[in-house]
Each structure stands twice: as structure tokens, then as C-alpha cells.
Amino acid sequence: MARLSISHLKKRYGELTVVDNVDIAVADGEFLVLLGPSGCGKTTTLRMVAGFIPPSAGQITIGERDVTNLPPWKRHCGLVFQSYALFPHMSVAQNVAFGLEMHKVPTAERGPRVAEALRLVQLGGFDERYPRQLSGGQQQRVALARALAMEPQVLLLDEPLSNLDAKLRLEVRVEIRELQRKLGLTTIMVTHDQEEALTMADRLVVMDRGKVRQIGTQRELYEKPADRFVAGFIGRSAFLDGEVTAPGRFRTAGGREIACAAAGASGPATLALRPERIAIGSEADGLPNRFATQIVHASYLGAQLDVQVALDEQERMLLQIPNRPGLSEPRPGDTITIGWAEDAGLVYPREA
Amino acid sequence: MTSAPEAVAGARKNLAGLLVLPATLFVAVALIGPLTILFRYSLNKFVPGQFMVDALVIENYVKFFTDAYYLNVLARTVRVAVICTLACLVMGFPLAYVLARTQSRFKNLMVIAVVLPLFVGNAVRAAGWMTAFGSRGALNASLMGMGLIDQPLEIMFTETAVLIGIVAVNLPFMVLSLQSVIEGIPRNVEEAAFSLGAGPGAMFRRVLWPLALPGVLAGTILTFILAMNAYATPVLLGGPKFQMMGPLVYGQFAQQNNWPFGGAISFILMTATILLTALAHLIVQGRYRANRPAE
């Protein structure tokens, strides 16, 4: 396994820049997830690392090797696709042995290594089966074994779980993560599934429109999102548009004054609040920002209730109320008092 | 009653039999009937002046296999068909691959361009060749006019001309057969092979070719049968001295009036085509199996 570093990576198609100056460093044995909406450039980035797309500019280094201009078959990247991409005309064992054969591993060594790789993904004894005889989850595990058998320097996962049904996805998620940790695999995974990204990653890279918006751990991204996009993309936030009138003072578009420690330079800005930082009812007593709001919509989600409240005509906010015995059901039209502390909100200058 | 849906709509009311009836009837009347009669004729005797005499002899077949001239025609036909089929495969595979994988919005136009040669009939093509490559055609006239050659180049009425002519007709069939199969092979599978360390050559040999094999078989069988039975191209581009089986059959019927011998040649041509096709099929399948590592 090896470090992987991507520097100043760019991909342009004519006028269109799909990957714009991306810098990512993956430590040895780290599980890094590229996360973003579709079309954000995450898959293009992964495919450039794998060698399928030539970058317009920038450099990719695996260990000490500059692989930027190497063809895919010389990169030693284990790749797992969303669609499994097993060789349908080969048995499971032949699929897994393919990489060993291509890397000229002596025949005598191949058998034990194929068996070991299949054991790792809990498919021992499936050697003679053909891909069409396996379920989706088993096929994806064969694909993983095939990538692992050749002992790649980097493991690349391209939305590996998207084709699996929900229950299986949770299982395979844990399996991949345990295996990755056990073998110390330097891994990059691409996904658009936020929950998947949060549960699996050591660190996450949030991308949008070809640019890296933020790199960090789950906690860093959730508690200190670098910009409005990340605040909205990772977890949920209530956004209030307005302006910073003075340090520590924010005024909403509807004219409400809010005390906010994060407010710095004056100018148009957006205040982001995490739902769980908003107190309701008597819990809001004594908080500097206290408002009476009207419930617009409430949805019962089991462990919690999502409640939309209207602060003003246009300004809606999301509250999450933990469910507990004896909780009175919030109904649309009810008035509810909400409040939050001075240090609860984050302020982002308004994007033009 | 079972809860499974009927395999063919109407199966329960015995309608399914009715559905295959038109095609079955057509084939019976248009193909099997005439062939049966032809086979019977091939066992008759031909007596000059008396046309055909009822008999049950194999002398027509014996005549074919004991006469070097006819054996030569058969050998030439097989050689031409094999060369044409291989040429179609070698030229057609790369083209079919590009057609199958292209993302271009002009893909449909490209497919039409592949089929375009079929719009030119054999007679029209031969006429075109005469004007271009004939001994008094444009090419020879210019070369001789420039003093580069004294004698006109022999291009028309050679085996090469026939080969090129048949390949031109058969190539589209090969390309379309291959293209449809290659389109069904996910691109990801090729990428997986690359990522596992296979270069383009190894990827082709171990992944693309075995997966494209159904298309290769369909394409080669189609072009081989067409080439074995070629009629117009050998006549028009090969000239009177270049004999292949197709024209030979027709000659026996139309010019020699020797129906029994014509019938025998027809069945020899048909049997050779079927046997060679089956043989090629077996060889390809065998090699494909041998390609799989036995671990």
C-alpha cells in the first residue's frame, strides 16, 4: 500500500471544466471518500487516478511513482465498479486469478492467493461458480476479491454499493470497511450517498462543480462546514438570508436581529443553523435569540419529528424534535417558541 | 391449471401452432420441396439427346470427384470463401468495435455508411470496375498514357478482383454481426481487465475476443455461406475462365441442360458449406475452451 497524492488536477472538455484544480492527499492506509452531487467531478477524478481519462493538467503520484502518464495496466490500482464488471466467461477463481496472471505471478502461487482473496470476502468454495450464478452482493465481493488478489497499491471504489439493495448495502459497507482496515488499504471511494460516505470514511472530500469544497473528518465537515454548500450538503441546516450589520450582529431579510458570535465583516450573508442546536419551548428560555414561530408542517419519523416552522413570511426553518413519551404532537398552525445560543449559527458571505 | 404464465400467448388454445404455420409452409414449399426434387434428380442419369433418364445411380457424384477440373473449382471456391471470410473478419472487427463503442452523435450515419456498399448492385459494381480497372479503363489508360507501362495491368478477370468484389459485398454483414454483439459487452469489463494489468493485446485475447465470439461465429458463418455461393461477382469480375461453384451449377442447368449433374454439384456445394461451417465452429469453440486456464 502507498500514499496517493493528486495535485492541481484538471480536466477540461473544450470550454467545460469538469475537474478544476483538485488537490487531494491520501495517507497510507486511509479510507477517503469523494462525495458530491452528480456531475461534481468525483467520478472523473477517480477515473483519472485509475488512468482511464488523461488529465488536462496536474499530477498524480502513487507512493514515489508519478503515474500521471502511465496507462491503467501499469498503475497497480485495484478497481471495483458499480456494475461489478466481472468477466462473465470466467469462473470466480479465474476472475480472481486474472490479475495475478497478468502480473506474471507463478502458477503455483496463484492458487493459494486466489483462495486467500476469496476467503477474505467470505466466498471460499465458490471457485467454480460463474458470475451469472451469483447474487449481486456475491458478485460485488468477487469483484473486490479480484481487485485485492493482485495486492494493488491503491484501491479505487466507484459507487460500489449503488446496485445492491438497501439491506445488503449495509452489510457490504461494513465488510468493505473492516477488510480495508485489516489490510491497511489506501482507498478512494466515490459515492453520492451521504450516509454511506459518513459511515465508511476516515476523511471526506466534498466536491461541487469540479472543485473541492472541503476536505475533513465527519465532525469537521458537520460542525465547521467551510461554506454554505457544505453546510447544506452534509447533514441538514436551516438557512436564513440577511446581512451582517456589525460584528456579532446579524439581521435577517425579514428584519429580525440575531446575536451571532460568528458574524464578522459587514455585508450580505447567510446564517446556517443545525436543527439540533435550536431549542424549543421552555428550553429556549434565557437564550439570546428567542422567537415565536408558527408550525407549517410536521412529519413523524419515529425516533424524531421534523418540524417546519415559519420565522417570517418567507423564512422557514427546520427543527428536529427527539421523540419521547408524552410528547404532544405538533400540529400545523400551532405557535412554538424557538431559540438558540449566540455561538450556534455559522455565517457565510452571500455567494454572488 | 398452473399459475405460471403461458410461454407463448395463446398456447392454451393451441394457437401457438397456428403462429408458426405461415413460415413453416413457406419454407416447405419454397425450399424443402425443390431441394428434395433436386436431390432425386441428382441420382438420375443424363443421356445426351434424351435429357434426363430415370435411374438411381451415384455416377454424377463420382464424375465430380474424379474429375480434376471440378475438384479444382471446388477447391478454388473454398479458398476464395475462406480468404474473403478472414479478410472480412480482420477488417470488420476493428470497424465494428469502433462503431459499437463510439459516443458520436453521427453513429447512425456511420452504420448507414457501412451498409452503403450493399446499395450498389453487383452488375453496377462490375460496370464501374470495367470503366476504372478494365484493360481500356481509366487507370490503364492513364498509366499507359504517361508511359509508365506498355501492357495494360490485368486487374479485371482475376482472382484478386473476385476476392475484392466478394469482400466488398460481405463486409457489411460481418461488421453488423460483430457490432451488435460488441455493443452488448459492457465497457467496464474492458476497463476492469486494464486495471488488473492487462495491456490492450491481453485484454483483447482474454476478454474482448471470447465475449465477442458469438458475433464472430455469426459473422463468419454468414459471410462464408455468402462467399461459397457467390454467383454474380465471380461471373462479372472473374470472367468466363474463372469458375466457382455457383456459376458452375447454373451453367449445368441453363447451358448444358444437364440437370442430374447440376443437382449433384448443388448438393456437393451445400454439403461442403455446411461441413466447413460446422468445422470452423468446432475449432473456434475448442480454442476458446483451451484459452481458459485450467486452475
Side-chain angles (χ1 to χ4, degrees):
Chain A
M1 280 292 139
R3 286 179 298 112
L4 172 80
S5 102
I6 298 169
S7 49
H8 307 300
L9 196 65
K10 267 190 194 156
K11 184 62 198 179
R12 276 187 298 267
Y13 292 106
E15 291 292 289
L16 193 70
T17 303
V18 291
V19 172
D20 193 1
N21 225 5
V22 163
D23 284 288
I24 298 170
V26 194
D28 196 347
E30 185 178 32
F31 196 116
L32 192 85
V33 173
L34 303 187
L35 178 67
S38 63
C40 72
K42 57 190 190 299
T43 301
T44 308
T45 303
L46 189 86
R47 291 175 64 78
M48 284 195 278
V49 174
F52 296 132
I53 299 177
S56 307
Q59 203 185 29
I60 300 164
T61 319
I62 297 173
E64 302 302 317
R65 282 192 311 153
D66 179 352
V67 300
T68 316
N69 296 310
L70 284 185
W73 51 92
K74 291 188 177 155
R75 293 202 180 191
H76 273 270
C77 291
L79 200 53
V80 176
F81 295 91
Q82 178 180 350
S83 56
Y84 324 136
L86 295 178
F87 305 130
H89 58 301
M90 297 185 197
S91 69
V92 166
Q94 285 164 353
N95 264 283
V96 178
F98 187 85
L100 303 176
E101 212 180 305
M102 291 301 128
H103 286 101
K104 309 259 181 321
V105 173
T107 320
E109 246 179 75
R110 283 183 218 160
R113 278 176 66 176
V114 168
E116 170 64 12
L118 285 176
R119 198 188 53 76
L120 281 175
V121 298
Q122 296 162 33
L123 282 178
F126 281 69
D127 307 50
E128 297 309 315
R129 303 270 193 103
Y130 279 82
R132 62 177 178 278
Q133 300 169 307
L134 304 178
S135 69
Q138 289 169 331
Q139 289 192 41
Q140 195 55 294
R141 279 186 278 167
V142 173
L144 189 62
R146 181 176 68 175
L148 294 179
M150 66 164 192
E151 291 170 6
Q153 290 189 292
V154 181
L155 184 63
L156 306 176
L157 309 171
D158 185 6
E159 307 225 9
L161 308 176
S162 312
N163 276 5
L164 306 178
D165 62 55
K167 183 167 170 287
L168 200 59
R169 205 177 300 171
L170 298 182
E171 282 174 36
V172 179
R173 199 189 268 177
V174 176
E175 278 177 30
I176 290 182
R177 186 64 174 120
E178 278 178 359
L179 207 57
Q180 183 271 339
R181 209 172 267 147
K182 189 160 81 183
L183 302 176
L185 300 163
T186 307
T187 305
I188 298 185
M189 180 172 91
V190 160
T191 184
H192 63 269
D193 183 330
Q194 192 197 121
E195 191 194 328
E196 191 173 294
L198 292 172
T199 49
M200 291 178 81
D202 286 321
R203 281 192 307 152
L204 301 103
V205 178
V206 180
M207 292 184 72
D208 180 46
R209 278 174 277 163
K211 288 196 168 74
V212 170
R213 293 308 194 96
Q214 190 171 5
I215 303 181
T217 62
Q218 288 82 336
R219 185 175 293 272
E220 285 163 359
L221 294 184
Y222 190 80
E223 294 182 3
K224 297 190 188 69
D227 56 24
R228 204 207 129 126
F229 174 81
V230 179
F233 194 73
I234 303 289
R236 298 162 82 173
S237 292
F239 293 107
L240 296 174
D241 284 339
E243 59 177 326
V244 175
T245 49
R249 304 299 301 173
F250 182 88
R251 186 193 294 139
T252 68
R256 301 208 183 227
E257 294 288 342
I258 291 166
C260 179
S266 299
T270 300
L271 177 72
L273 281 165
R274 292 295 186 192
E276 73 277 1
R277 301 295 298 266
I278 301 172
I280 52 162
S282 56
E283 289 167 20
D285 290 350
L287 287 171
N289 306 300
R290 251 177 109 241
F291 305 101
T293 60
Q294 257 205 341
I295 295 177
V296 181
H297 183 78
S299 11
Y300 180 90
L301 296 175
Q304 81 189 32
L305 289 86
D306 277 9
V307 181
Q308 286 272 349
V309 298
L311 188 63
D312 284 304
E313 283 292 298
Q314 304 98 26
E315 281 165 344
R316 303 275 167 91
M317 293 178 73
L318 174 75
L319 316 179
Q320 287 175 344
I321 307 175
N323 200 357
R324 57 174 186 272
L327 179 76
S328 65
E329 185 98 6
R331 272 186 306 272
D334 288 358
T335 302
I336 188 170
T337 305
I338 64 170
W340 61 89
E342 208 169 342
D343 63 355
L346 292 166
V347 174
Y348 302 106
R350 190 95 50 83
E351 282 163 24
Chain B
M1 285 296 253
T2 63
S3 60
E6 35 188 15
V8 179
R12 272 180 207 138
K13 291 179 183 149
N14 293 324
L15 274 172
L18 230 63
L19 298 178
V20 298
L21 199 65
T24 313
L25 263 179
F26 177 78
V27 170
V29 171
L31 193 65
I32 297 175
L35 279 181
T36 315
I37 299 169
L38 190 64
F39 183 67
R40 179 65 195 86
Y41 282 4
S42 76
L43 301 173
N44 281 345
K45 268 182 164 177
F46 177 73
V47 181
Q50 277 180 278
F51 188 51
M52 188 159 68
V53 176
D54 264 346
L56 208 62
V57 294
I58 56 161
E59 64 173 46
N60 294 307
Y61 293 91
V62 174
K63 180 180 168 192
F64 186 95
F65 285 108
T66 50
D67 189 326
Y69 174 76
Y70 296 120
L71 286 177
N72 249 327
V73 173
L74 178 61
R76 182 185 296 129
T77 304
V78 171
R79 183 174 70 235
V80 166
V82 168
I83 294 174
C84 285
T85 304
L86 289 179
C88 284
L89 185 58
V90 169
M91 289 195 281
F93 201 105
L95 176 56
Y97 181 79
V98 171
L99 271 184
R101 290 288 184 241
T102 185
Q103 310 269 331
S104 165
R105 57 208 163 95
F106 299 116
K107 178 167 173 164
N108 285 338
L109 279 179
M110 290 158 83
V111 172
I112 290 171
V114 166
V115 184
L116 213 55
L118 297 181
F119 284 77
V120 183
N122 278 307
V124 176
R125 185 188 344 265
W129 277 43
M130 297 252 194
T131 61
F133 304 122
S135 50
R136 266 164 291 181
L139 180 71
N140 276 319
S142 356
L143 289 178
M144 282 162 76
M146 286 187 284
L148 293 172
I149 50 171
D150 304 329
Q151 295 290 315
L153 289 178
E154 291 282 338
I155 300 171
M156 287 298 289
F157 308 132
T158 61
E159 183 167 319
T160 314
V162 176
L163 287 174
I164 296 173
I166 295 179
V167 169
V169 178
N170 288 3
L171 195 55
F173 293 99
M174 178 66 88
V175 171
L176 295 182
S177 308
L178 287 171
Q179 183 219 342
S180 63
V181 172
I182 295 174
E183 261 177 10
I185 304 171
R187 174 83 178 128
N188 274 350
V189 171
E190 292 172 32
E191 290 179 343
F194 287 142
S195 77
L196 290 164
M203 189 285 286
F204 174 78
R205 211 164 29 78
R206 295 295 311 281
V207 177
L208 189 56
W209 177 260
L211 291 178
L213 216 52
V216 172
L217 277 177
T220 50
I221 288 172
L222 203 56
T223 55
F224 183 73
I225 293 173
L226 287 172
M228 282 291 280
N229 293 285
Y231 176 78
T233 309
V235 168
L236 294 170
L237 297 182
K241 275 177 284 174
F242 187 86
Q243 273 293 7
M244 276 176 68
M245 292 293 273
L248 190 66
V249 170
Y250 183 73
Q252 289 299 322
F253 277 93
Q255 283 146 32
Q256 317 288 330
N257 271 324
N258 190 343
W259 286 23
F261 191 47
I265 301 173
S266 308
F267 272 88
I268 291 165
L269 173 58
M270 214 168 77
T271 313
T273 308
I274 292 172
L275 283 181
L276 289 169
T277 305
L279 185 73
H281 194 120
L282 286 178
I283 291 174
V284 172
Q285 290 246 307
R287 278 199 41 194
Y288 169 41
R289 234 172 264 125
N291 255 341
R292 295 174 171 178
E295 66 223 48

